Amino acid sequence: MTEQHEAPSGVSGRALQKDIPQATVARLATYLRVLAMLADDGVAIVSSEELAVAAGVNSAKLRKDLSFLGPNGVRGVGYDVAKLRTRIEDVLGLSQGHRVVLVGAGNLGRALVGYGGFRRRGFTVVGMFDSHPEVIGLSVAGLVVRDVADLAPAIDALKPTIAVITVPDDAAQDVCDQLVASGLQSILSFAPCELTAPETVEVRRVDLAVELQMLSFETARNAPALPEIAHAVSGRIAHRVPAHTAGGHPALKHSTTSHSATEPSSKGSVVTP
């Protein structure tokens, strides 16, 4: 197989990162997950069509996304799963792995630390912190919960590259400030509030309530019209057609055969209060 794995003209993955759109980065993460599953199943070569279907995108978009990585596949042959996986890991900055500290040892924090998928994707949780005496000292997935008061010296010793915040809303900004003061430049927050940080610090927020609300909207938008509404609309339309002409005039026969096209649909509409 003649597939090339290096970027054009010796350009490194780090240099390519500046040119990749954010939407493409998100999809690259999805491709990486699929490639990891294929590798686990012993698949060595995958076509663009197969990879696209597994990732939930069309093959044209996949090929455009992967074009940002430089030459990777061979026409008529496909992509080398191991090489493409390594290439995406390089561009996403995962080649060397990441050390992660988590602040907030509540139910969510403990669940995240116990999730084995992070380590398989290059993220190793090296420290867990909390402020509640009843939690400090507990062992969670092999890590002992430490006092958040010791956060600064611990970060200096652990040398993490990413921090995760899973504390209540009213404590999130203070924790963020401590992390920034300790030198962290990449923070993932599960607190619902917006956090203020210097422009040099990347803060990403995951609001589970917002995600559920989006799903609620999609559910409501895609739901079929209520039977009583459809019946009422159909009744009003039928009422407009005089009974003595509905069956005899050719121009009206088509309009009285079905009213499905006139039933209301909320799909794609926006309702303003």
Side-chain angles (χ1 to χ4, degrees):
M1 187 167 172
T2 60
E3 182 174 346
Q4 297 181 9
H5 187 59
E6 295 298 323
S9 305
V11 179
S12 66
R14 183 180 296 272
L16 287 173
Q17 291 167 351
K18 297 180 180 179
D19 300 324
I20 302 178
Q22 194 69 35
T24 296
V25 173
R27 289 191 293 270
L28 286 177
T30 300
Y31 304 152
L32 183 59
R33 174 178 57 81
V34 174
L35 289 167
M37 295 171 60
L38 292 173
D40 290 343
D41 291 339
V43 177
I45 303 295
V46 62
S47 69
S48 59
E49 288 76 14
E50 292 169 334
L51 184 55
V53 169
V57 302
N58 61 63
S59 56
K61 179 173 290 185
L62 177 136
R63 286 191 291 268
K64 180 175 176 59
D65 289 339
L66 297 184
S67 70
F68 286 100
L69 312 182
N72 284 289
V74 176
R75 186 180 297 276
V77 177
Y79 298 100
D80 183 301
V81 170
K83 290 184 177 181
L84 182 57
R85 180 183 179 183
T86 301
R87 183 62 178 152
I88 294 178
E89 288 177 342
D90 180 37
V91 171
L92 293 182
L94 301 174
S95 301
Q96 303 302 318
H98 285 279
R99 296 169 63 84
V100 180
V101 292
L102 185 143
V103 183
N107 293 332
L108 177 58
R110 292 197 295 269
L112 291 174
V113 170
Y115 175 56
F118 291 140
R119 182 177 291 274
R120 291 196 298 271
R121 289 169 171 81
F123 300 93
T124 303
V125 181
V126 295
M128 192 173 187
F129 301 83
D130 205 290
S131 61
H132 293 286
E134 63 271 23
V135 175
I136 297 172
L138 292 180
S139 178
V140 180
L143 287 174
V144 175
V145 180
R146 303 165 69 169
D147 193 332
V148 74
D150 301 326
L151 185 61
I155 286 179
D156 187 55
L158 295 172
K159 302 188 184 309
T161 53
I162 295 175
V164 178
I165 298 175
T166 57
V167 300
D169 196 359
D170 57 357
Q173 185 61 58
D174 180 60
V175 169
C176 180
D177 293 341
Q178 292 184 58
L179 292 169
V180 171
S182 300
L184 265 297
Q185 293 187 313
S186 298
I187 298 173
L188 177 65
S189 173
F190 283 85
C193 61
E194 291 284 353
L195 299 179
T196 302
E199 292 184 358
T200 56
V201 177
E202 179 72 17
V203 178
R204 297 191 64 85
R205 185 164 62 98
V206 178
D207 191 330
L208 297 179
V210 169
E211 298 302 322
L212 289 172
Q213 289 164 356
M214 293 299 294
L215 286 174
S216 173
F217 170 76
E218 291 297 333
T219 300
R221 183 173 69 172
N222 295 324
L226 293 176
E228 58 269 24
I229 296 177
H231 177 73
V233 173
S234 178
R236 287 198 299 270
I237 294 174
H239 182 70
R240 295 193 193 105
V241 181
H244 64 279
T245 60
H249 198 291
L252 294 177
K253 288 184 178 179
H254 176 71
S255 65
T256 58
T257 56
S258 173
H259 297 296
S260 60
T262 63
E263 293 178 3
S265 171
S266 61
K267 185 175 181 63
S269 63
V270 177
V271 179
T272 303

